[in-house]
Amino acid sequence: MEYEAYYTSLWDQIQRPTEDERSYDEIHTKLTQFSAAIGSSNNAKGITREQWIDSLAVAASYAAPGFEWANSENKALADRWIAEILTHLDIDTSDATLTPEIFQTICTKRVKPYFGSRSGGSQTSQQSYVLMNSGIGGGSKSLFSNSDRWRKQPQCIATFTWALHRVKDKDIAGSISYILPVILALVEDYESQAKVWGLRAALILLDRGDAEFLRKSGIASVVEKSTRDCLVFTSELGFGAELLKLGFGCAIRLAKLMYLQRDDAKYTAHWWKLTERVVADNMYIMDNVAANSALCEQIAPMCEALGPAIARYLRPLVGILTRNLQSPIYLSPPICQLHLVAMKQLEALISACPQRASLYSAEIVGALAFSWSGTHHKQSSGMSNIAQAQELVLSVLRQLIQISPDDVNTAVTRLYDARPGTFSEWKEMVPSSKHP
């Protein structure tokens, strides 16, 4: 098979929705044929630079993790194919860093058409954002308009994600007009899967793009507004926990990037809004263990940012964390992980506002006791994280002893009297309870 026809057929292999699941089964077989396809094109001498770059975009769509068609076997084959392509493009295969020219060519050919103007009929009105002092020409930059072609051929998103990972940090600003429209189209979509893809790309942009550029250009503000709807728990199968984790991940990075002065009223107000979102989402999660873990993980960053000001939400946050410690830790590894997460957040919460936290010492001790008792259950003996959970329980207990020794002593004494075998170690920790 001629090389261009070969990689074009692989690109067209993925179309959704599809009634023929066998098309996915054929991918692996086709991927094994890349060497033969290259060889058939006059021993690679007849392949142009443009074709090498285009085939790199196709191979990348099978090498990007997180997509249903890119299983481990297909990814391994795609990586081998990519390595050969990079050799012909004189690119170091050890890190596969893409030049701006190659990244933009990939986006122009295999990404932008799927997010561009709708085919047929009149073109929809394009969204425009003013990118001030962006270094890409200034003024109003018209981004390619919304289209749902990517929905039917989502491999363009895999290609975009793979390529974005391989652009140098310093080159991101110069390619922002190729990056930002894709991110915005995905995070603002109604499907949770699309939001997840968009948030992953947004995190790459926020982690590696120049902070001053993102802030002064207004791009950070645009992304912040577009990702607000991603901070809401969804019961859509398989996406609730990941969407929360990625959404808050973006929101926290954006807050750190946009609000630099702790004494600025906007700084505190913004972080309070994020904390309110955590409290509000908790009402809808119910018994979803993964989502509870994802949500609880956001409390420590709020504590770090707000310090004592987190006390405004201390009551509901303590309630969220102690409630999650009342699930039997020995039932499953995910529940054990939830306990670990909750106790780490308790450490951060107590450290941020110890005086106010002392008011809830009895409630926290009760929740810790439930978790501690579970670690001594016979079903927990084979779980790998039980020892870590016990260490965290004792760590939080030590914090409480420091801020509220009398209340903790009273609570521990009652627990010891009721179950001396389980709480003897706690009894030893309370200063006034030390044996002579």
Side-chain angles (χ1 to χ4, degrees):
M1 180 185 293
E2 190 266 340
Y3 188 57
E4 184 171 359
Y6 165 74
Y7 67 72
T8 299
S9 69
L10 261 173
W11 180 264
D12 294 337
Q13 192 77 31
I14 304 171
Q15 293 193 26
R16 295 195 314 176
T18 176
E19 296 180 359
D20 186 9
E21 294 299 328
R22 291 177 300 174
S23 62
Y24 287 159
D25 297 334
E26 295 170 2
I27 290 173
H28 181 79
T29 301
K30 282 191 174 182
L31 282 171
T32 62
Q33 300 168 358
F34 73 85
S35 293
I38 292 173
S40 67
S41 294
N42 194 24
N43 294 323
K45 295 179 181 178
I47 301 174
T48 66
R49 174 179 168 81
E50 181 181 4
Q51 289 175 324
W52 283 124
I53 295 175
D54 197 23
S55 65
L56 177 61
V58 176
S61 69
Y62 291 97
F67 295 86
E68 60 194 75
W69 55 86
N71 58 40
S72 59
E73 293 181 349
N74 289 346
K75 184 180 183 306
L77 285 168
D79 285 339
R80 286 170 50 197
W81 183 15
I82 287 171
E84 184 161 348
I85 294 170
L86 294 177
T87 300
H88 288 282
L89 290 172
D90 295 323
I91 297 174
D92 186 357
T93 58
S94 62
D95 59 5
T97 300
L98 302 182
T99 64
E101 176 255 335
I102 291 179
F103 173 74
Q104 293 173 16
T105 299
I106 287 174
C107 288
T108 299
K109 183 69 181 290
R110 294 293 178 177
V111 181
K112 183 176 179 179
Y114 299 91
F115 291 85
S117 303
R118 297 179 187 275
S119 58
S122 60
Q123 180 174 314
T124 58
S125 60
Q126 295 184 337
Q127 290 179 303
S128 296
Y129 300 97
V130 177
L131 308 179
M132 302 299 295
N133 302 317
S134 64
I136 55 175
S140 177
K141 295 296 172 183
S142 182
L143 309 182
F144 28 105
S145 62
N146 183 40
S147 170
D148 60 0
R149 286 187 64 197
W150 59 265
R151 204 183 306 280
K152 295 180 180 179
Q153 292 191 285
Q155 65 269 41
C156 65
I157 303 170
T159 294
F160 172 76
T161 304
W162 183 92
L164 183 57
H165 267 294
R166 286 155 182 82
V167 178
K168 289 184 178 179
D169 294 3
K170 66 181 181 64
D171 294 329
I172 286 179
S175 298
I176 196 65
S177 61
Y178 294 84
I179 299 169
L180 187 60
V182 178
I183 291 174
L184 298 182
L186 293 174
V187 298
E188 293 176 358
D189 193 69
Y190 62 88
E191 286 189 354
S192 295
Q193 174 66 89
K195 290 182 183 295
V196 165
W197 287 333
L199 289 169
R200 288 175 184 166
L203 285 171
I204 299 172
L205 173 64
L206 297 174
D207 286 341
R208 297 180 50 218
D210 180 73
E212 185 175 6
F213 163 74
L214 295 174
R215 184 169 53 251
K216 291 185 175 180
S217 66
I219 291 171
S221 179
V222 169
V223 175
E224 190 273 329
K225 291 175 183 176
S226 295
T227 55
R228 287 175 186 172
D229 289 343
C230 298
L231 303 180
V232 179
F233 174 71
T234 174
S235 58
E236 189 174 340
L237 184 63
F239 294 109
E242 187 173 13
L243 192 57
L244 278 179
K245 188 168 186 174
L246 292 172
F248 275 101
C250 279
I252 289 169
R253 285 166 175 79
L254 285 162
K256 291 179 178 179
L257 190 153
M258 295 169 64
Y259 302 96
L260 304 179
Q261 304 298 325
R262 294 179 72 98
D263 57 353
D264 184 351
K266 291 182 179 179
Y267 175 99
T268 302
H270 186 80
W271 282 101
W272 274 346
K273 285 182 181 178
L274 291 180
T275 308
E276 287 174 2
R277 189 68 262 164
V278 171
V279 174
D281 281 341
N282 176 68
M283 295 188 293
Y284 302 100
I285 290 179
M286 303 301 288
D287 58 352
N288 186 314
V289 175
N292 273 303
S293 290
L295 190 65
C296 287
E297 282 180 342
Q298 314 313 317
I299 295 176
M302 308 298 173
C303 293
E304 180 184 355
L306 287 167
I310 194 72
R312 179 172 182 170
Y313 299 95
L314 188 60
R315 170 65 271 173
L317 292 178
V318 168
I320 291 171
L321 296 174
T322 54
R323 177 180 63 82
N324 281 307
L325 289 177
Q326 293 171 8
S327 300
I329 193 171
Y330 54 82
L331 288 183
S332 69
I335 292 179
C336 182
Q337 180 61 33
L338 175 58
H339 279 240
L340 298 178
V341 169
M343 285 186 282
K344 288 177 182 177
Q345 311 313 299
L346 277 172
E347 285 184 318
L349 199 56
I350 294 169
S351 295
C353 47
Q355 291 184 332
R356 292 287 298 275
S358 66
L359 301 175
Y360 303 97
S361 58
E363 179 179 345
I364 297 172
V365 168
L368 293 175
F370 196 94
S371 182
W372 180 264
S373 297
T375 66
H376 289 76
H377 193 279
K378 61 181 180 180
Q379 287 183 238
S380 68
S381 58
M383 299 181 69
S384 60
N385 290 330
I386 289 298
Q388 184 182 357
Q390 291 176 335
E391 290 175 5
L392 279 171
V393 168
L394 298 178
S395 176
V396 178
L397 189 61
R398 291 187 192 99
Q399 283 184 294
L400 294 174
I401 291 171
Q402 291 294 320
I403 64 174
S404 186
D406 293 339
D407 290 341
V408 174
N409 181 32
T410 300
V412 169
T413 298
R414 289 175 179 171
L415 289 167
Y416 177 77
D417 290 344
R419 298 177 63 182
T422 302
F423 294 101
S424 59
E425 190 170 351
W426 285 31
K427 182 74 170 175
E428 292 288 339
M429 288 176 61
V430 181
S432 61
S433 299
K434 295 275 188 180
H435 298 309

